[in-house]
Amino acid sequence: MRKIILVFALFLGVAACKTNPFTGKKVLNFYPNSQIFPTAFAQYDQFLTENKVVENTADAKMITKVGQRISSAAERWLTANGYSGYLKDYKWEYNLVNDETVNAWCMPGGKIVFYTGILPICKGEAGIAVVMGHEVAHALADHGAQRMSAGTLQQLGAVAGNVAIQDPEKRNIFNQAYGVGSQVGVMLPFSRSHETEADRIGLQIMAIAGYDPGEAAELWKRMKANSGGEAPPEFMSTHPSNDTRIKNLTEWAPAARAEAKKFGVTSFQK
Ligand SMILES: [Zn+2]
């Protein structure tokens, strides 16, 4: 039985490789958007009803403005690189929630939440763009779906014989992968490689949106200075370390500016 499951898992793996447009790498993902997005949208709506959404303030308007610039930059990049249909199922939404936790996340399909607690570290528009670019990058690169896929394989191994993925189980895997329960409201930590990938993609998108990619390293320096405070896994210093992150982002900034120039962006807002 074990062998059969292994073969099935391998088959799923081979059948489910999808190319990440931003890295060109093949990744394991057998959850199409059509399966994940409805769950994500429902979870997002539920989260908003259970938390204090800030509306019509200057900060709330800023989150929307930066979000729109970032998502439109992503769209331009994808279209220019032959992925014009990539975002067709996305339903972008940008919300600010009154909560002092240092956090922000983007659920599959472009559902974004910023917590007021991260705004002092963002300091301003360009800092918000750093965080927005990073979170949107996790969604664009399907990092959550990849984690769900890995979780499914694990579960296939653990639950011998039960290879049919029934809906309640799928929901379970979704919850395990995203951790956006009504109580928790935070994304589970991504792997180190996913974090690094999101940093790199996010930097490129923010530059195309007209924000100075040099601000990314500055943001993580402020995050480092704040690391004694309360921060969920997404913004903790453990993986990659703040120092590695700052070093990487500083190194990659010129390439991000060069990429943005291809889109006619020659001045960058700090
Ligand atoms: Zn991240």
Side-chain angles (χ1 to χ4, degrees):
M1 184 49 90
R2 214 163 237 277
K3 216 171 179 180
I4 294 171
I5 292 167
L6 186 67
V7 168
F8 183 73
L10 283 174
F11 167 75
L12 263 184
V14 171
C17 277
K18 190 178 162 188
T19 302
N20 176 339
F22 295 92
T23 60
K25 279 192 299 191
K26 284 215 182 298
V27 291
L28 176 69
N29 176 8
F30 41 80
Y31 288 101
N33 291 348
S34 59
Q35 277 193 35
I36 290 183
F37 286 11
T39 311
F41 296 167
Q43 293 254 13
Y44 185 76
D45 288 344
Q46 193 188 335
F47 178 86
L48 294 181
T49 61
E50 291 169 355
N51 289 271
K52 271 180 86 181
V53 179
V54 182
E55 282 168 302
N56 290 320
T57 65
D59 285 340
K61 285 174 188 162
M62 179 68 83
I63 297 299
T64 302
K65 178 189 173 194
V66 176
Q68 285 168 345
R69 278 176 69 170
I70 292 290
S71 59
S72 111
E75 180 111 53
R76 263 176 283 154
W77 189 91
L78 285 161
T79 303
N81 286 278
Y83 294 90
S84 53
Y86 196 82
L87 298 174
K88 69 176 164 36
D89 299 322
Y90 276 62
K91 292 193 163 61
W92 296 101
E93 202 175 333
Y94 323 93
N95 279 290
L96 178 64
V97 161
N98 194 2
D99 186 313
E100 63 190 28
T101 314
V102 177
N103 202 15
W105 41 259
C106 176
M107 285 186 63
K111 299 294 188 182
I112 294 153
V113 160
F114 267 65
Y115 293 60
T116 47
I118 204 169
L119 295 182
I121 296 169
C122 290
K123 237 178 114 182
E125 190 169 346
I128 291 171
V130 175
V131 173
M132 188 76 74
H134 176 91
E135 295 307 325
V136 163
H138 277 307
L140 293 175
D142 296 325
H143 287 160
Q146 286 172 44
R147 192 165 46 193
M148 276 178 75
S149 302
T152 303
L153 287 189
Q154 266 173 16
Q155 205 170 67
L156 286 177
V159 188
N162 186 9
V163 288
I165 303 160
Q166 301 297 331
D167 266 349
E169 283 170 29
K170 210 191 292 165
R171 205 177 318 129
N172 237 341
I173 294 165
F174 181 93
N175 287 339
Q176 281 167 17
Y178 291 101
V180 187
S182 49
Q183 284 180 314
V184 190
V186 294
M187 296 288 239
L188 291 175
F190 287 105
S191 69
R192 182 192 305 234
S193 64
H194 282 178
E195 284 306 328
T196 303
E197 204 169 282
D199 279 343
R200 193 166 201 153
I201 297 168
L203 200 69
Q204 192 176 306
I205 299 171
M206 77 176 285
I208 295 168
Y211 296 108
D212 185 2
E215 290 297 307
E218 297 307 313
L219 174 115
W220 283 100
K221 284 177 196 166
R222 293 194 291 276
M223 199 69 86
K224 185 184 172 187
N226 181 69
S227 60
E230 188 196 348
E234 170 70 349
F235 291 100
M236 281 195 317
S237 57
T238 45
H239 68 279
S241 75
N242 283 325
D243 290 332
T244 306
R245 210 157 207 165
I246 292 162
K247 184 174 161 282
N248 285 344
L249 289 165
T250 306
E251 259 174 43
W252 297 336
R257 286 193 196 94
E259 183 68 23
K261 288 206 174 97
K262 295 185 199 163
F263 292 82
V265 182
T266 48
S267 72
F268 298 94
Q269 182 179 341
K270 280 185 196 283

